[in-house]
Amino acid sequence: MADTPSTPEPEGQVSDAVTGNWVDTYAPRPTRPYLRLSRADRPIGTWLLFLPCVMGLLLSMLNDNVVSWHDGWTLLGCAMGSFLMRGAGCTWNDITDRKIDAEVARTRSRPIPSGQVTVKGAIVWMMVQALLGLFILLTFYPNAIALGIVALVPVLIYPFAKRFTWWPQLFLGIAFNWGALLAWTAHSNTLAWPAVLLYLSGITWTLFYDTIYAHQDKEDDALIGVKSTARLFAENTNKWLTWFLIATVSLMGVAVIGAAIDRSPFSLVIALCGPWAMGWHLQWQLRNLDTEDPDKLVKLFRSNRDAGLIALLFFAGALFV
């Protein structure tokens, strides 16, 4: 009996995108290469950029017990900004990494190395996304605008980090969690120490999930000399991830205490359940980790959206009790 033919992947689909994603299925054909360049077909990165923003916003609201329509715009602005700036950052990353991407099995199908988008076209697309993000940023308080502009520094540095350090995931964490500081400040126009601890907890969380993600490419990375925490930790990955888990939960817990200390004991306890429950999700990821199984690695990496949402549910619950 003949084998049933598999459904062909859409023309130009990136190798690690889910078949049937909205970009490859519904987006107008001329826009697809640019949306792929922005990783719109792989939305997990937008989630991981957006979640620290919401955490910062909710903890800032818990801290001063003020909820207004302005916070609704801040939330929407952070959502749109996360999509746009993640797209601009990914475009910048692919411009700088185009030669490396061409040598790695998982990334050679990306729009620039596969010839779908020219470097000039990518630069124009990056600028369009960055300018739209700037327009949104300019609607926030002045101190938040300043923080948003400073955030460009780690974004510009990140693509080069794997060339000069074994810790590029640290630089990703510095860039990806900046929204915790920005959203806190967008609510209150001031920055306080709980926001800084929340930011640090986000960095250790990024070290956790992006080390898992980086294990997919460790063999290709070794061949071309690209550094990563996955290669650095090797067989000690579980031990390092355990420490990152502990640091994430501890730092976030202290940030919650600092933000909600003046609220009712019941509200504080509910808020503290956020990092506690998130920690159990990270522990589940550790129990299921197999650094030699690429399919499991990407599933665990993507599950960090749910880990962040769990914490947000408790933060939101604490705000309204």
Side-chain angles (χ1 to χ4, degrees):
M1 186 174 178
D3 293 336
T4 302
S6 60
T7 303
E9 293 183 349
E11 181 183 354
Q13 177 176 311
V14 177
S15 65
D16 54 356
V18 176
T19 299
N21 68 80
W22 75 273
V23 171
D24 295 324
T25 305
Y26 301 112
R29 191 171 295 275
T31 68
R32 291 178 186 176
Y34 295 94
L35 291 171
R36 292 172 186 139
L37 195 59
S38 299
R39 311 282 201 276
D41 54 343
R42 288 152 287 166
I44 180 60
T46 300
W47 276 107
L48 294 174
L49 193 64
F50 177 55
L51 289 170
C53 297
V54 187
M55 291 179 185
L57 176 61
L58 289 176
L59 288 192
S60 188
M61 294 161 70
L62 278 169
N63 184 62
D64 62 13
N65 199 28
V66 173
V67 181
S68 69
W69 289 109
H70 171 77
D71 298 312
W73 167 247
T74 299
L75 183 65
L76 180 60
C78 284
M80 294 188 294
S82 294
F83 179 82
L84 290 167
M85 296 313 296
R86 187 249 182 160
C90 288
T91 304
W92 169 243
N93 185 80
D94 283 11
I95 291 169
T96 59
D97 280 359
R98 59 190 183 277
K99 293 182 180 179
I100 293 175
D101 286 345
E103 299 182 50
V104 177
R106 186 179 60 82
T107 58
R108 62 171 60 106
S109 59
R110 287 179 176 175
I112 296 178
S114 65
Q116 298 178 54
V117 177
T118 65
V119 174
K120 181 183 291 186
I123 292 172
V124 172
W125 179 235
M126 177 183 67
M127 296 302 297
V128 168
Q129 294 172 96
L131 285 173
L132 290 173
L134 176 62
F135 291 149
I136 295 170
L137 179 66
L138 291 176
T139 67
F140 292 166
Y141 285 130
N143 288 337
I145 294 172
L147 278 172
I149 293 172
V150 174
L152 292 176
V153 175
V155 171
L156 292 172
I157 293 174
Y158 166 67
F160 302 101
K162 56 182 161 289
R163 295 165 170 83
F164 64 81
T165 177
W166 287 99
W167 293 82
Q169 282 67 32
L170 174 62
F171 284 82
L172 180 67
I174 292 169
F176 245 58
N177 294 281
W178 202 271
L181 304 175
L182 194 152
W184 177 292
T185 308
H187 168 78
S188 63
N189 200 29
T190 60
L191 188 61
W193 66 264
V196 176
L197 289 185
L198 179 66
Y199 173 61
L200 294 176
S201 76
I203 292 175
T204 54
W205 180 30
T206 302
L207 282 163
F208 181 94
Y209 65 65
D210 206 57
T211 297
I212 292 175
Y213 187 75
H215 269 283
Q216 296 177 90
D217 301 328
K218 59 190 175 187
E219 293 181 3
D220 285 332
D221 287 349
L223 289 173
I224 60 179
V226 169
K227 300 177 174 66
S228 73
T229 50
R231 290 186 61 206
L232 177 65
F233 301 157
E235 66 275 6
N236 293 317
T237 290
N238 280 62
K239 183 184 297 183
W240 278 94
L241 293 187
T242 299
W243 282 112
F244 294 146
L245 186 164
I246 293 170
T248 299
V249 173
S250 300
L251 289 165
M252 189 179 294
V254 178
V256 168
I257 293 172
I261 192 65
D262 292 329
R263 298 183 67 85
S264 70
F266 185 50
S267 178
L268 177 58
V269 169
I270 291 177
L272 281 171
C273 285
W276 174 80
M278 182 178 174
W280 278 109
H281 192 287
L282 300 185
Q283 180 60 38
W284 169 81
Q285 292 182 49
L286 266 181
R287 289 199 308 269
N288 288 275
L289 180 63
D290 180 353
T291 59
E292 304 305 318
D293 185 339
D295 290 336
K296 183 170 286 188
L297 288 169
V298 73
K299 287 178 181 177
L300 290 176
F301 167 73
R302 289 173 178 163
S303 76
N304 282 277
R305 179 201 65 175
D306 299 335
L309 286 173
I310 289 170
L312 289 184
L313 286 174
F314 285 103
F315 293 168
L319 185 63
F320 294 106
V321 297

